[in-house]
Amino acid sequence: MKDNQNEVFPLVDEEGMVMGKATRGECHNGSRLLHPVVHLHVFNAQGDVYLQKRPKWKDIQPGKWDTAVGGHIDYGETPEEALSREVREELGMTDFTPVFMGKYVFDSKSERELVYVNRATYEGTIQPSKDELDGGRFWSMQEIREAMGKGVLTPNFESEFQRFFFAKRTNRTNQGDGAAIGLCVAGGDAVVGSAR
């Protein structure tokens, strides 16, 4: 299997206003055309986070662990429509309630993405797509911290998770991993740094 290089994505400014369109191939060839994507971080009630394993055939970051759901917004689609579609396609989830955390620009050598970050707590069955993923599982916060910077996780996941979920908060005390993450996830106010 291979990504469809002719799939059409909107080109946007940093606020998300559509300025044009381009193919996946044009967006991922090093042109760094800014295009929007949606991410969903899925937590269970214990505060563990579900990560997907990217298949080896992906054109970006093959074989690494990544955000539970990540996908491009198709031309003519809203971020909310794209999120529902991607979550259904990748994890088989339809009965989830996303919480919008913010958006930011992710910049790499091969692409620039305007990332719409969402989270949800979910206790139902997750059925990773056999066509789109090489599986997935819940990771504890300790496991994620230990994997950071070792080439196991995608750089995008690492920077985003640090920004939205490992962010230092001046109004909390050090209560251990679970309590700190619980505050960020349950409080919904973890948007910091350059996130919008």
Side-chain angles (χ1 to χ4, degrees), residues 1-178:
M1 192 165 205
K2 231 178 173 183
D3 282 323
N4 177 359
Q5 298 301 308
N6 295 317
E7 189 176 1
V8 178
F9 301 150
L11 299 178
V12 297
D13 65 15
E14 291 191 8
E15 296 304 316
M17 294 293 296
V18 176
M19 310 299 284
K21 59 185 174 180
T23 66
R24 174 189 290 269
E26 292 167 329
C27 290
H28 291 180
N29 69 2
S31 67
R32 301 178 64 250
L33 297 169
L34 186 62
H35 58 287
V37 299
V38 291
H39 285 181
L40 180 69
H41 295 270
V42 177
F43 292 85
N44 63 21
Q46 294 75 40
D48 299 328
V49 65
Y50 189 90
L51 299 184
Q52 65 159 269
K53 180 84 180 267
R54 294 179 65 80
K56 299 276 188 202
W57 54 262
K58 293 300 276 183
D59 59 349
I60 304 286
Q61 300 294 328
K64 293 190 177 181
W65 290 90
D66 201 1
T67 308
V69 174
H72 291 89
I73 296 174
D74 290 338
Y75 188 73
E77 194 174 40
T78 67
E80 296 79 16
E81 291 167 341
L83 184 65
S84 292
R85 175 182 51 77
E86 289 289 344
V87 172
R88 184 179 61 254
E89 288 174 0
E90 293 185 5
L91 299 183
M93 293 168 44
T94 57
D95 59 340
F96 68 100
T97 304
V99 175
F100 177 65
M101 301 290 291
K103 62 186 174 189
Y104 71 97
V105 173
F106 177 73
D107 228 338
S108 73
K109 291 178 186 174
S110 60
E111 65 175 341
R112 284 181 73 221
E113 296 178 330
L114 179 63
V115 184
Y116 288 80
V117 181
N118 299 272
R119 65 164 174 82
T121 300
Y122 187 74
E123 289 297 317
T125 302
I126 296 176
Q127 299 173 333
S129 167
K130 291 182 168 75
D131 294 332
E132 294 198 27
L133 309 175
D134 277 351
R137 70 173 179 89
F138 279 98
W139 291 54
S140 70
M141 294 303 117
Q142 184 62 35
E143 287 178 299
I144 290 174
R145 280 195 174 98
E146 290 172 0
M148 292 257 186
K150 296 185 176 157
V152 174
L153 308 169
T154 66
N156 192 350
F157 170 79
E158 288 185 3
S159 65
E160 181 173 303
F161 205 77
Q162 287 174 343
R163 173 180 285 155
F164 287 93
F165 301 104
F166 283 161
K168 299 259 189 255
R169 290 175 39 147
T170 56
N171 63 344
R172 75 167 185 234
T173 59
N174 183 5
Q175 299 174 334
D177 292 346

